[in-house]
Amino acid sequence: MSRAASVLWLRRDLRRGDLPALGAAASAADGGNVLVLFVLDPALWDGGGPARRAWLAATLEATREAYDGRLCLRVGDPAEVVPAVVEEVGATSVHVSRETTPAGVRRDKAVAAALGEAGVEWVETGTPYAVGPGSVVNGSGDPYKVFTPFSRAWRDHGWPAPATEPQDLSLARVASDDDGWKTVRAALSEDDLPELPEAGEEAALQRWRDFLDDSVTAYKDERDRADRPGTSRLSPYLKIGAVHPRTLLAELRGRTGQGAQTFETELCWREFYADVLWHHPRSSWHDLRPALKGMTYEDNPELVQAWKEGRTGYPVVDAAMRQLLTEGWMHNRMRMVTASFLTKDLHVWWPVGARHFLDHLIDGDIASNNHGWQWVAGTGTDASPYFRVFNPVTQGQRFDPRGDYVRRYVPELAHVPGKAVHEPWKHDGAYDHGYPQPVVDHAEERREALRRYDAVRGSGSS
């Protein structure tokens, strides 16, 4: 085992490039060794679904390789593990990217307090965002409540250039826990895992450059088409920090056209939701806007299970839910469609769906996911109008016009041609291979949803 002057504790920054905290750790080491550490916290590991564990495991393997095999993996409560490792290697400082989620903030306060008692310096450098949450405020010093003015201020605020890797970096070689990498390998061997993308920083950058070369020009027009590969598919890498948004924004600079501008705006949405969560921690699992207080919701486990398994009888909804289960990812337009179906056709409170998504999405980010659900439910910042109820048939016809997306994930309907697949009840023989009838009547449930929304909005609760 080698000694280390400083510790770099990785969390949502599993990469080596464009990592300011690595530079800070190297500077603090002043020519000494830097220990790169990851703590596998059973409280988080055990609570994630198999796909999320596998994606983290694959990324950890890639990160270990990026650090020349010198990623120290320890298992346990970070408040106990990090101070123990620091004492073991004799480090005088611990370096991290600042965390801004409610759980991350609580964890870091506990670790920093334990280190402080031992006289070890706690240093936060950078965040997982181009502009750190809390940095963009209006003229009165208050946070923005609406996306469009936030996006203007976010662009005006700007962000630094990507960080360069420190020269002459010396990495400590410190043993991992015996069962740490065994746990990682076991996660990659679980049964019925979805088809995961290639993991790691190199894979993220390759996907990004392929997107820049092939797809960014048409991104504005193609990103909503579920049947085409028009999105970047970078969200799993951004979630885990295999690539930093600052890197992407730097390479977008100078590119003109609506596609590049739209992609930048999508990155801004991610930063906006992180900012909202920073200022309103309770909004992770509670309505940001209590305008719908008193709303009545249904508790029907059978219908919720049908939604989760992709057996609602509405083809585009079922295709999307099955994509989630088979890939650990879902097309963004379809996330809105399936969320609308759960909250407004089945009348289920949005956290039920948000938890299911976080269990399965390898890009499941609590700020983006849960505020996206509130947007659909009509309870969040920039909320969709409460009376907007996505029609699963017309959404399918518009964004999967030939039915290719549905047939890809719903083999029971593979024999139904063209756009007819979105209305199997109108096609003879559509149900010959076991596809279910609709579990509800969309037109009726739309009227019921509007009735419920009107009732609470008219009660004075807003």
Side-chain angles (χ1 to χ4, degrees):
M1 180 191 78
S2 58
R3 305 286 285 175
S6 64
V7 171
L8 171 67
W9 177 22
L10 299 179
R11 292 87 66 82
R12 287 197 294 162
D13 46 7
L14 294 177
R15 64 185 183 279
R16 185 163 175 165
D18 195 1
L19 183 54
L22 174 59
S27 293
D30 193 22
N33 291 334
V34 175
L35 170 61
V36 184
L37 172 69
F38 186 87
V39 181
L40 204 62
D41 184 351
L44 297 178
W45 180 263
D46 296 340
R52 290 172 65 85
R53 288 195 298 267
W55 179 239
L56 173 57
T59 305
L60 285 171
E61 291 276 19
T63 306
R64 177 168 63 166
E65 183 176 345
Y67 281 98
D68 307 320
R70 298 189 179 189
L71 174 62
C72 177
L73 180 65
R74 297 293 177 91
V75 180
D77 180 350
E80 298 174 359
V81 172
V82 176
V85 170
V86 167
E87 182 179 6
E88 179 184 333
V89 301
T92 57
S93 60
V94 172
H95 298 262
V96 298
S97 300
R98 181 171 68 94
E99 185 54 84
T100 57
T101 65
V105 169
R106 288 194 300 270
R107 176 201 60 205
D108 285 2
K109 283 183 178 179
V111 176
L115 292 172
E117 292 177 0
V120 177
E121 187 179 11
W122 172 265
V123 184
E124 298 179 336
T125 309
T127 77
Y129 304 95
V131 180
S135 302
V136 176
V137 294
N138 63 22
S140 301
D142 297 321
Y144 285 94
K145 299 178 181 180
V146 179
F147 173 73
T148 299
F150 173 89
S151 67
R152 288 194 291 264
W154 177 79
R155 287 182 170 92
D156 289 342
H157 181 283
W159 40 84
T164 58
E165 183 173 325
Q167 295 181 348
D168 302 322
L169 177 65
S170 179
L171 298 174
R173 185 181 294 277
V174 177
S176 299
D177 284 348
D178 290 340
D179 59 347
W181 291 109
K182 290 180 182 177
T183 300
V184 166
R185 288 190 291 272
L188 293 170
S189 303
E190 290 194 41
D191 295 332
D192 300 322
L193 286 176
E195 300 176 11
L196 297 175
E198 185 179 355
E201 183 177 5
E202 288 188 12
L205 292 173
Q206 185 60 56
R207 183 176 290 276
W208 167 238
R209 276 142 199 170
D210 288 344
F211 174 71
L212 279 182
D213 291 341
D214 302 332
S215 304
V216 71
T217 301
Y219 179 72
K220 182 179 186 297
D221 297 323
E222 293 290 306
R223 67 191 179 96
D224 280 332
R225 285 288 295 270
D227 59 332
R228 294 179 179 174
T231 64
S232 70
R233 297 294 289 258
L234 283 164
S235 55
Y237 299 104
L238 286 165
K239 159 65 176 71
I240 213 157
V243 67
H244 196 281
R246 181 176 47 237
T247 303
L248 312 184
L249 288 164
E251 296 192 13
L252 276 177
R253 186 171 298 146
R255 285 182 176 259
T256 58
Q258 292 184 328
Q261 293 174 9
T262 301
F263 186 82
E264 182 176 286
T265 298
E266 289 303 302
L267 290 176
C268 186
W269 270 107
R270 179 176 179 269
E271 308 237 335
F272 175 57
Y273 281 147
D275 191 76
V276 171
L277 184 60
W278 168 252
H279 289 288
H280 305 280
R282 288 190 78 255
S283 68
S284 54
W285 292 108
H286 296 83
D287 292 337
L288 181 66
R289 297 193 313 171
L292 303 181
K293 185 177 180 180
M295 184 78 166
T296 57
Y297 298 102
E298 297 297 323
D299 181 16
N300 192 321
E302 290 185 2
L303 288 180
V304 171
Q305 194 62 27
W307 175 82
K308 289 180 177 181
E309 295 176 0
R311 297 185 293 101
T312 68
Y314 286 92
V316 81
V317 173
D318 294 340
M321 297 306 295
R322 295 186 196 188
Q323 182 182 31
L324 174 63
L325 296 178
T326 57
E327 298 179 7
W329 187 85
M330 186 191 294
H331 189 280
N332 184 61
R333 166 61 58 168
M334 295 300 109
R335 297 186 197 204
M336 292 186 282
V337 173
T338 55
S340 179
F341 191 86
L342 183 71
T343 57
K344 294 177 178 176
D345 285 66
L346 303 185
H347 315 296
V348 174
W349 194 33
W350 65 264
V352 174
R355 288 185 186 278
H356 179 71
F357 272 29
L358 286 178
D359 282 345
H360 293 278
L361 285 169
I362 62 173
D363 67 357
D365 174 272
I366 192 166
S368 293
N369 181 71
N370 290 25
H371 289 119
W373 272 88
Q374 292 196 54
W375 181 88
V376 173
T379 65
T381 298
D382 273 271
S384 171
Y386 76 96
F387 51 80
R388 183 179 186 183
V389 182
F390 284 89
N391 184 316
V393 174
T394 57
Q395 288 288 308
Q397 292 170 337
R398 182 177 178 186
F399 299 112
D400 181 29
R402 294 188 298 269
D404 295 336
Y405 178 75
V406 166
R407 282 185 291 273
R408 186 182 312 152
Y409 297 103
V410 185
E412 307 98 299
L413 296 177
H415 62 292
V416 181
K419 66 178 182 180
V421 76
H422 295 297
E423 297 177 286
W425 46 87
K426 294 183 178 180
H427 186 79
D428 290 341
Y431 294 101
D432 289 350
H433 299 283
Y435 187 67
Q437 296 281 344
V439 294
V440 295
D441 182 289
H442 170 71
E444 291 182 5
E445 301 308 330
R446 179 183 182 278
R447 288 191 290 271
E448 173 61 15
L450 295 180
R451 185 194 67 76
R452 296 187 187 200
Y453 276 90
D454 284 339
V456 296
R457 287 176 64 84
S459 66
S461 61
S462 60

